[in-house]
Amino acid sequence: MEKTFRIVVLISGRGSNLEALLQAIEQVSPPWGQVAAVVSDKRHALGLEHARKRDIETLVVPRRAKERSNQEFQRQLAQEVERFQPDLIVLAGFMRILTAEFVSRFPGRIINIHPSLLPNFRGLHAQQQALDAGAAESGCTVHYVVPEVDAGPIIGQRSVPVLPEDTEDTLSARILKEEHQLLPRVVKEIALGNIRLEGSQVVRRNTGEELSVVTAT
Ligand code: GRF
C-alpha cells in the first residue's frame, strides 16, 4: 500500500487556512494526504481547535523568550516537527521567521501562504502595504520557504482587485477567501507528486491539468 502523504501544519492564531486544508482533505475518499499534527508557538491559538475536534495531534512549542534563544526554540521546534515525519510542513499563519538551520533540516519540504502577490509586499501587514502603495490588485501567494522572508520560489498565486473604498479588513477578507482556495490546491498537487522543488526551481508534472498557473477565476 502506498504511504500516506504526511503534513504538519504550523500556526500561531486563527487557523482558517488550516480548516480549509482539513476540509479539502476530507472531501476526497480515499484522502490524498493526512494532517499528522498541528503545531503552534501560541498556547491559545484558536486554530488548535480545528485539529482537536478531529482528534488530530496538537502540540504547543512556546518561545519563552526570557529563558532561551531563538536558536534553541527553533531547534526544539524542528525536533518536535521531525517526530511526525512530515512529507510537507505548511506554514499557515505561523508568525515566526524560521532560522536557516530549521529550513535546511527539511529541504524542499516547507511552504508558506502569504497575503500578497509576491514579490510585492513581503513581511507583515501585506494587505495594508498594498493599500498604502495604491495597488489596483493584490492577492495571495504560496511559495517554498527559504531563510529570507517571503522570498522563496513561488508555486501559485490568486489575485483580487483592490477597491477604492477598501480598508485593511475588507481587503484582507477578500484575499483570505482566495487563500482558502489556493492553499489546499497547492498542497494537494504537491501530495500527488505534481509539484516539487529542484534546487531553486519549482518543477511541475504535466498532467494535462492547468498546474502552472493557479490564479483566481
Ligand atoms: C493569512 O492571511 C496568511 O496569509 C498569513 O496569516 C494569515 C493567517 O490566517 N500568513 P489564518 O490563521 O489561516 O486564519
Side-chain angles (χ1 to χ4, degrees):
M1 212 177 85
E2 241 177 70
K3 185 182 161 287
T4 313
F5 187 85
R6 294 172 65 80
I7 305 158
V8 171
V9 183
L10 268 55
I11 64 168
S12 296
R14 176 180 58 182
S16 67
N17 278 290
L18 164 67
E19 174 68 17
L21 176 61
L22 290 166
Q23 286 185 14
I25 292 173
E26 285 160 5
Q27 271 167 22
V28 185
S29 176
W32 45 262
Q34 177 204 356
V35 174
V38 174
V39 181
S40 171
D41 61 325
K42 296 267 183 285
R43 196 169 299 285
H44 300 293
L46 287 175
L48 290 169
E49 263 321 297
H50 299 310
R52 286 188 186 125
K53 71 177 184 220
R54 292 170 167 96
D55 288 329
I56 292 170
E57 200 163 333
T58 60
L59 194 69
V60 178
V61 184
R63 162 75 204 273
R64 293 197 299 258
K66 285 197 196 103
E67 292 163 40
R68 57 176 172 174
S69 67
N70 187 38
Q71 283 285 356
E72 286 168 320
F73 158 67
Q74 299 227 4
R75 261 179 216 147
Q76 190 203 346
L77 187 67
Q79 268 167 25
E80 300 284 7
V81 168
E82 220 153 40
R83 280 202 298 124
F84 299 103
Q85 301 183 322
D87 296 300
L88 187 70
I89 298 166
V90 177
L91 309 185
F94 184 65
M95 299 306 287
R96 298 206 170 266
I97 298 166
L98 294 176
T99 57
E101 185 182 321
F102 186 106
V103 174
S104 67
R105 272 173 90 154
F106 305 96
R109 281 191 287 149
I110 313 175
I111 63 170
N112 177 45
I113 179 134
H114 181 76
S116 79
L117 295 176
L118 291 172
N120 293 333
F121 315 127
R122 291 160 53 177
L124 292 175
H125 303 293
Q127 302 93 332
Q128 186 61 49
Q129 290 185 52
L131 291 173
D132 293 345
E137 189 186 53
S138 191
C140 54
T141 302
V142 176
H143 63 93
Y144 282 104
V145 170
V146 296
E148 198 183 340
V149 179
D150 301 328
I154 290 173
I155 306 168
Q157 295 184 309
R158 289 173 79 100
S159 58
V160 301
V162 179
L163 305 178
E165 65 273 22
D166 265 338
T167 62
E168 188 177 9
D169 283 352
T170 58
L171 179 58
S172 298
R174 193 174 309 119
I175 293 173
L176 193 64
K177 271 178 127 176
E178 301 303 325
E179 295 184 37
H180 295 164
Q181 299 296 317
L182 178 64
L183 183 67
R185 186 165 165 186
V186 168
V187 174
K188 182 179 179 184
E189 294 305 324
I190 294 173
L192 296 178
N194 294 333
I195 296 177
R196 67 179 198 285
L197 188 67
E198 255 183 44
S200 58
Q201 292 296 313
V202 177
V203 179
R204 296 157 206 274
R205 187 192 288 169
N206 188 358
T207 58
E209 281 185 59
E210 197 164 319
L211 296 171
S212 53
V213 199
V214 187
T215 47
T217 45

